[in-house]
Amino acid sequence: MSLIICFFVLQLLTWSRVLLAHESRNNCSRSIMSIGAVLDLSSQMGKHQKIAMQIALQEFNRLSCSKLDLKIENSHGNSAHAVASAMDLTQSKQVLAIIGTITHSEANLASEFDDTIKNIPILSLISPVARSEKSSPLLPYFIQEGYDINLHMQCIAAIVGEFRWRKVTVIYELDNWFSSDPGILLDLSYSLRLVGSEIDNHVALPSLSSLLDPKSTIENELNRLKNKSNRVFLIAHSSLELANILFEKAKQMSLVGKGSVWVIPDGVAGLLDSVNSSSILNMQGVIGFKTHFMETSKAFRRFKFKFRRRFVLEFPEEENINPSFFALQSYKATRAVAQAARESQGKLTLEQLFKSNISRNGKFWQSQTFNIINVIGKSYRELALWSPELGFSKNLITQQLTEMNTNSASSGILSTVYWPGGIQFVPKGWTHSTEQRKLQIGVPAKGAFTEFVNVTYDKNRNKTSITGFSIDVFKEAVHNLSYDLDFAFVPFNGSYDEMVEQVYNKTLDAAVGDTSIMAYRYHLVDFSQPYVDSGIDMVVTEQSAKSKETWIFLKAFTKGMWLMMAALHIFVGFVIWLIERQVNEELKGFGSMLWFLVTVIFYAHTGEPIRSPLARTVLAPWLFVILIATSTFTASLTSMMTVSQLEPSVLDIKSLLKRNSPVGCNGNSFIVKYLTEVQKFKPENIRRINSINDYPSAFQNKDIEAAFFIAPHAKVFPKGSTLATDISEALLKVLESGEIEQLEKDMLTIEGNASCSPLESKAKDGSPTGFQPFLGLFCICSIVAVLALLYNMICLLMSNVLTFTSYIHLTLTQLRRIWRWTTRYFARSSSRFQSGSLRSVSTATVTRNAEETVINTQ
C-alpha cells in the first residue's frame, strides 16, 4: 500500500514540474536562433550525428524560452561541398555557430571567401585530430573536439606489439582530413618501431566519394596486396562505407581467412552496432578498437531510447539501430552550443562556449581509453581496455589499479581472440605467395666441415646433392612452421663473409650452414636461434723451435729499408769525410773514409776523433738514427726467431691417444660424448672444465695437454626478416622434441671414422719493418748533411779565390793558345791546297797548247 502511495506522490511531483515549466515557457518571449551543421548524410556516421543533434535541440527547446533551429547541410563526403555548405550557412541562414565534420583546412578555405566565418564558432567533430588542426591564429573560433591522432597510432602499435608481428601493411582512405597531415604515417611508423615492427606495404585508397567504380578500384589494390607475403593489414583510417566494400572484396579473394590479420580503427569499430548482418559476416575474426564511454549509465540509456525511436522513423531501411560514440559526441556538442547560445542572446563568444563544458584544449568528454573488440558471429565482443598510460587490462577497475607498460612483453590479456578462418592460435601474418619466386637459400659449397654441409655434384645424373647436419636441421625447422615455405638451396662458392653480404644485399633470401655468430655481422643480418654447439676446435700449448733459415736476419727490414739505410749511410759518411779531410790527417785517404763508415755502425770511431764542429753536427743525428735502427733490428730479429716460430706441442689427436694424454672440455656439451664414442678417448682422461677461466691454470698445472671448444652456429636472414623469428621458434620446437639430438647421433654414426685435422701453428712470421717509421729521422739527417755539404763548398770557394782565379786564367790561356794553333794549322792547310790546285791547272794548259802546236805543224 505504501508503494502505491509513493508512486502517486512521484507522479504528482513530475506533473507539477511539467506544468510549472510549461507555464514559465508561456510567460517568456521565445526568440528564434539558428545553429548550422555540416554533415555527410550519405554515411552512417553522418546519420548518427544528425539524429543526435535533433534530439539535443528538441530537449533544449522544450525546457528553454529560446528556440534554436538546426540548419543541416549535406557535404556528401566532399571537401568542396563542405566549404560551400559552410559559406551558405553563414551568408544565407546567418547561423550562430557551425557544428559538424568540417576540417580545419576546409574552414580556412571558406574563410578566404567569407570573412564572417572567422568570427563564427566552428566545432569540428572530426576525430582523431591531425596535428595541423589543433590550433590556428587564422581561425580563433575554430574548436576541434577530437583527441590527438597519436592515441590512435599508439593503440594500433600496442595491438601489433602484443602479438609481436614484425611487419604490417597499412591501408588508409586518402580523404581531405587524412591528406592534410603527412606526419600521420610517420607517427604510426614511429609507434610501430617502438614495439619492434615496421611498415612493409601501404595502400592509399581514394575517398569513396571521388570513385566512379569503388569496387573495381579496391579489387585492383587487393590483388596487388595478394601477391605480397605480408598478411597483417592495419586500416589506419577509413569510413564505414569504404570498409564494408573493402572487406566484401577481401573475403571474396580469401584475404580474410586463415593466416590473415585485420585491425580496424575507431571510425569503423565505433559504428559496428549499426551495420547490417552481411557486413558483419565479412569481418569475422577482425579486431579493432573503439572509444570507451559508459554505455550502462542512466543518461545514456535514456538517450539510446530516444535515438532508436527517432532513427527508425527517419531511416527505416537500416537494420541495426544503436547510437555510437560519434552520436553521443554530437549530442553533447549541440547541447553545449545551445546552452551558450541561450546565455549569449544572439552572439556567441569563446568564453561562453568554454563555460558550457567545452574545454580550451578541446577534450571535454573525451576518454583516452579504448575498448579492444573482436568481431564474432553477428556482433562483436569486448576483449580488454587500453590506455596510453596503463596499457591493456580486462576492465576499468583493474586498469586503474594495475600499472602496465605498453612496451613490455605480451601481457596475455588478448589470448582469447577469434581469428579469421576460425583458428585459435595467433596468425603469423606472413605467407609465401604462390605467384612469388622460391626463396633462394644459400649454402657454403666449400665449407670446412662437410658433416654440416656437403655439396656434391653427380656428373652422370647432372644433379647437385646438398646434404649434412645443418641441412637436416633446417628441413626439420621448416616442417614445424605453421605455413608452407617454398625454397631452393643455392650452393655458394665464396667465403662465409661474402655469403653473409649476399644475404644483406638480398641476393640470397637466407643462408644455411655452419655460419658462426660474429659481432661484426650483427649489423648486417639477423641470426636464428643457434641450433647446436658445433665447430670443434682443439687448443694446445706451444713449444719453441730454432729457426733453420740462413738469411733470416735480412727479413728484419724490408728491401727498401736496407737500401735507404745504405744510401744514406754512404752519403753522410762522404759528407763527413769531405769536411774532415781538410783538418784531419787520418781521414784524408779514400780508404780511411770506407773504414770510417764501418766503425760508425759499431761506435768504434773513437780512435779517429772527429775534429770539425760541422762534421760533428752531421754525425750527431745519424748516430741517433743508427741507435734506433739497431734497437729495432734487434727486437724484430728476436721476435722472428722466438715468438713467430712457435709450434704446437701436440700435432694431432692420434698423438694424444698414443701418449694417453689428459684433455679438457666443457662437461655440459655433447663434446664429451664425441670424444669418448668417436675419438675413443678413455673417460678417465677427460677433465670436465666448465669455466673458460679455469683452462690457463689447468695447462699450467699439467692437468691437461689439450682442450676442445665448440662455437655456436645459426641460420642467417636479412635484417628485420620475419622468417628469422619463425625459424628460431621452429628450432626451439625441434630442440625440445629431441629431433636434433637424434640428427646428431646419425651424423656421428655416419662420420664415425672422421678425425680432426692436425693443428698447425697459427702464428705468422713477424712482418719486416719498413722505412716509414724512420722517414722523419731520415729527412732530418739528409737535410743536415746537404746543408753542411753546401756550406763546406761555399767555404772552399771563398778561401781559395786566388788559386781558382789563377787556375781559371791559366786554363783559359792554354785554351787560347790551342785555338790559335788550330786556326793557323787550318789556314796553312788551306793555302797549300789552293797552290797545288793552281799548279795543276797551269800544267794542263801548257800541255794542251803543246798538243795543239804539234797538230798545227803536221
Side-chain angles (χ1 to χ4, degrees):
M1 186 67 180
S2 60
L3 293 176
I4 298 175
I5 295 174
C6 291
F7 175 76
F8 279 110
V9 171
L10 291 174
Q11 290 293 327
L12 289 174
L13 291 174
T14 303
W15 281 106
S16 64
R17 290 176 61 186
V18 172
L19 290 174
L20 289 174
H22 182 72
E23 184 179 355
S24 62
R25 188 167 64 251
N26 291 333
N27 293 333
C28 65
S29 58
R30 297 176 62 84
S31 59
I32 300 177
M33 296 177 289
S34 298
I35 298 177
V38 179
L39 304 173
D40 180 14
L41 298 181
S42 61
S43 66
Q44 192 73 15
M45 182 183 296
K47 295 175 183 178
H48 280 224
Q49 291 169 335
K50 176 185 177 181
I51 299 300
M53 290 179 180
Q54 291 173 345
I55 295 174
L57 289 186
Q58 183 183 20
E59 293 177 352
F60 178 81
N61 290 332
R62 189 174 65 247
L63 300 176
S64 175
C65 292
S66 302
K67 181 181 178 182
L68 291 178
D69 188 19
L70 184 64
K71 304 294 185 180
I72 300 177
E73 293 287 340
N74 187 3
S75 66
H76 300 283
N78 186 277
S79 181
H81 288 172
V83 173
S85 299
M87 295 175 60
D88 182 59
L89 289 173
T90 56
Q91 294 175 355
S92 303
K93 301 176 182 178
Q94 298 180 348
V95 296
L96 295 176
I98 298 177
I99 310 173
T101 52
I102 180 171
T103 66
H104 182 274
S105 59
E106 292 168 349
N108 190 32
L109 181 60
S111 67
E112 295 291 334
F113 298 99
D114 186 3
D115 290 338
T116 59
I117 295 180
K118 297 180 180 179
N119 301 318
I120 295 178
I122 300 177
L123 269 71
S124 177
L125 301 179
I126 290 180
S127 182
V129 185
R131 291 172 297 182
S132 60
E133 298 186 356
K134 289 185 179 180
S135 62
S136 173
L138 300 177
L139 295 174
Y141 284 83
F142 185 87
I143 302 174
Q144 177 64 63
E145 290 302 329
Y147 47 84
D148 195 346
I149 184 65
N150 268 330
L151 294 179
H152 251 188
M153 303 300 106
Q154 291 173 21
C155 186
I156 293 175
I159 295 174
V160 174
E162 180 73 11
F163 299 105
R164 301 178 181 178
W165 295 308
R166 295 296 186 91
K167 292 187 177 183
V168 298
T169 297
V170 178
I171 303 174
Y172 51 92
E173 183 178 1
L174 200 60
D175 56 11
N176 186 55
W177 168 79
F178 198 86
S179 61
S180 64
D181 189 358
I184 296 177
L185 287 180
L186 294 178
D187 292 337
L188 177 59
S189 178
Y190 175 75
S191 300
L192 288 172
R193 284 200 302 269
L194 292 180
V195 297
S197 183
E198 64 177 342
I199 298 177
D200 190 25
N201 308 295
H202 64 88
V203 176
L205 296 174
S207 176
L208 189 62
S209 60
S210 64
L211 293 177
L212 298 177
D213 189 2
K215 290 188 176 182
S216 61
T217 302
I218 293 175
E219 186 176 1
N220 292 334
E221 293 294 337
L222 290 177
N223 276 324
R224 187 172 66 87
L225 290 180
K226 191 175 183 180
N227 295 330
K228 305 292 184 180
S229 298
N230 189 264
R231 287 295 181 269
V232 180
F233 304 106
L234 308 181
I235 303 179
H237 170 69
S238 172
S239 63
L240 177 65
E241 290 68 32
L242 186 139
N244 287 336
I245 301 175
L246 179 65
F247 280 104
E248 178 185 353
K249 291 298 179 182
K251 186 176 182 181
Q252 293 175 1
M253 301 170 62
S254 300
L255 286 176
V256 187
K258 292 182 179 180
S260 299
V261 177
W262 288 84
V263 179
I264 56 177
D266 187 23
V268 178
L271 295 169
L272 289 181
D273 289 316
S274 301
V275 300
N276 54 47
S277 57
S278 60
S279 299
I280 286 289
L281 291 177
N282 292 330
M283 299 182 185
Q284 293 298 297
V286 172
I287 57 177
F289 58 95
K290 53 181 280 190
T291 303
H292 173 76
F293 61 95
M294 297 302 296
E295 300 182 35
T296 59
S297 64
K298 184 177 180 180
F300 179 76
R301 290 200 302 267
R302 185 166 54 248
F303 169 72
K304 181 178 180 180
F305 174 76
K306 295 178 181 179
F307 180 88
R308 298 184 66 175
R309 184 175 59 182
R310 191 178 189 93
F311 195 92
V312 73
L313 293 176
E314 189 157 351
F315 304 104
E317 71 278 2
E318 299 291 342
E319 293 184 10
N320 298 327
I321 307 169
N322 285 303
S324 63
F325 166 77
F326 308 104
L328 184 62
Q329 181 189 39
S330 303
Y331 172 80
K332 290 187 176 182
T334 306
R335 286 291 300 266
V337 173
Q339 181 68 25
R342 182 177 62 182
E343 297 177 0
S344 67
Q345 297 297 324
K347 178 64 176 179
L348 280 177
T349 63
L350 288 178
E351 294 299 327
Q352 291 169 341
L353 287 173
F354 293 147
K355 289 180 181 178
S356 60
N357 292 331
I358 297 180
S359 65
R360 295 178 184 270
N361 58 6
K363 294 181 181 179
F364 64 115
W365 59 78
Q366 304 286 359
S367 171
Q368 292 191 3
T369 303
F370 294 100
N371 288 99
I372 309 301
I373 60 102
N374 180 211
V375 179
I376 180 173
K378 296 181 179 181
S379 184
Y380 63 87
R381 59 176 179 172
E382 295 182 357
L383 300 176
L385 295 174
W386 180 87
S387 67
E389 296 84 8
L390 305 177
F392 292 102
S393 62
K394 278 295 183 183
N395 52 61
L396 192 60
I397 297 177
T398 57
Q399 187 185 39
Q400 293 173 349
L401 296 178
T402 306
E403 293 187 359
M404 304 176 65
N405 190 348
T406 55
N407 293 331
S408 61
S410 177
S411 61
I413 294 177
L414 304 181
S415 59
T416 58
V417 178
Y418 175 85
W419 298 104
I423 61 177
Q424 300 299 319
F425 54 87
V426 179
K428 298 295 181 182
W430 186 93
T431 185
H432 188 75
S433 177
T434 56
E435 298 183 12
Q436 289 183 331
R437 63 180 180 85
K438 291 184 177 181
L439 291 180
Q440 302 296 301
I441 310 296
V443 294
K446 298 179 180 179
F449 301 99
T450 57
E451 296 84 359
F452 291 94
V453 177
N454 186 21
V455 180
T456 57
Y457 178 71
D458 190 350
K459 295 182 179 180
N460 297 328
R461 301 172 58 186
N462 194 22
K463 183 178 180 182
T464 301
S465 176
I466 302 176
T467 58
F469 178 73
S470 298
I471 303 301
D472 295 337
V473 171
F474 178 76
K475 291 180 178 179
E476 288 293 333
V478 171
H479 180 71
N480 280 270
L481 292 175
S482 58
Y483 52 87
D484 295 332
L485 186 67
D486 195 11
F487 64 91
F489 289 121
V490 179
F492 187 78
N493 293 313
S495 64
Y496 285 86
D497 284 339
E498 291 173 345
M499 185 170 65
V500 171
E501 290 179 359
Q502 291 292 314
V503 177
Y504 170 73
N505 296 330
K506 296 186 178 180
T507 305
L508 295 174
D509 297 302
V512 174
D514 51 339
T515 308
S516 298
I517 302 177
M518 307 298 290
Y520 68 90
R521 294 174 179 171
Y522 257 106
H523 73 284
L524 297 176
V525 294
D526 284 341
F527 290 93
S528 70
Q529 171 74 21
Y531 52 92
V532 71
D533 290 334
S534 56
I536 304 171
D537 294 326
M538 187 178 77
V539 178
V540 298
T541 57
E542 299 183 40
Q543 62 180 1
S544 60
K546 295 181 180 180
S547 176
K548 298 180 180 180
E549 297 185 20
T550 305
W551 300 99
I552 188 174
F553 69 91
L554 292 177
K555 295 183 179 180
F557 289 150
T558 61
K559 292 181 180 179
M561 178 65 176
W562 284 117
L563 292 175
M564 181 69 73
M565 285 285 294
L568 197 56
H569 187 67
I570 294 173
F571 176 69
V572 171
F574 172 76
V575 173
I576 294 174
W577 172 78
L578 195 63
I579 298 172
E580 279 292 308
R581 66 188 299 269
Q582 302 173 24
V583 296
N584 194 340
E585 295 293 335
E586 299 179 355
L587 290 177
K588 284 190 175 182
F590 184 75
S592 299
M593 183 194 74
L594 296 178
W595 178 247
F596 175 75
L597 294 177
V598 176
T599 57
V600 166
I601 299 176
F602 305 100
Y603 302 96
H605 58 280
T606 55
E608 300 170 355
I610 304 300
R611 298 176 182 177
S612 173
L614 184 60
R616 292 175 182 176
T617 303
V618 177
L619 182 61
W622 183 243
L623 289 177
F624 182 73
V625 172
I626 292 176
L627 175 64
I628 300 299
T630 304
S631 301
T632 305
F633 176 81
T634 304
S636 179
L637 186 61
T638 302
S639 176
M640 293 173 62
M641 298 185 68
T642 56
V643 178
S644 64
Q645 296 297 319
L646 294 177
E647 294 182 355
S649 58
V650 179
L651 295 178
D652 53 18
I653 292 180
K654 293 181 179 179
S655 300
L656 293 172
L657 293 172
K658 186 177 180 180
R659 295 189 304 186
N660 204 21
S661 302
V663 297
C665 66
N666 185 359
N668 297 324
S669 66
F670 75 98
I671 194 66
V672 177
K673 187 175 182 181
Y674 173 78
L675 293 175
T676 55
E677 296 184 3
V678 179
Q679 298 299 338
K680 307 303 180 182
F681 277 90
K682 295 181 180 180
E684 59 270 17
N685 290 336
I686 299 177
R687 306 290 186 265
R688 298 172 183 262
I689 303 176
N690 297 323
S691 175
I692 191 66
N693 298 323
D694 296 336
Y695 283 95
S697 59
F699 278 114
Q700 187 175 2
N701 299 330
K702 305 296 183 180
D703 293 336
I704 59 174
E705 292 187 17
F708 291 87
F709 296 96
I710 48 181
H713 295 84
K715 314 291 189 270
V716 181
F717 300 91
K719 205 69 176 175
S721 173
T722 55
L723 187 59
T725 305
D726 296 342
I727 290 294
S728 295
E729 184 179 352
L731 284 173
L732 290 176
K733 294 179 180 179
V734 176
L735 283 169
E736 293 172 358
S737 64
E739 294 178 6
I740 284 187
E741 183 179 357
Q742 183 60 43
L743 290 174
E744 288 178 5
K745 293 180 180 179
D746 296 341
M747 178 188 68
L748 296 177
T749 301
I750 296 173
E751 304 293 340
N753 55 352
S755 61
C756 296
S757 301
L759 293 178
E760 297 179 356
S761 174
K762 295 183 180 179
K764 295 183 179 179
D765 294 344
S767 58
T769 304
F771 63 86
Q772 287 82 3
F774 304 91
L775 191 58
L777 294 175
F778 286 164
C779 291
I780 294 173
C781 292
S782 301
I783 293 172
V784 171
V786 170
L787 293 177
L789 180 61
L790 293 176
Y791 177 77
N792 184 64
M793 296 298 295
I794 293 172
C795 290
L796 286 175
L797 290 174
M798 293 181 65
S799 61
N800 298 282
V801 173
L802 294 176
T803 304
F804 280 108
T805 303
S806 60
Y807 177 76
I808 292 172
H809 179 71
L810 180 60
T811 303
L812 291 176
T813 302
Q814 301 214 359
L815 288 175
R816 192 180 298 111
R817 290 176 181 176
I818 294 172
W819 172 255
R820 289 177 180 176
W821 181 85
T822 305
T823 304
R824 291 174 182 175
Y825 175 79
F826 280 107
R828 292 173 183 173
S829 299
S830 177
S831 61
R832 289 174 184 176
F833 177 76
Q834 289 179 359
S835 60
S837 298
L838 291 175
R839 289 175 183 175
S840 300
V841 171
S842 61
T843 304
T845 302
V846 172
T847 305
R848 188 180 301 109
N849 291 333
E851 291 178 352
E852 290 178 355
T853 302
V854 173
I855 293 172
N856 292 328
T857 303
Q858 293 178 351

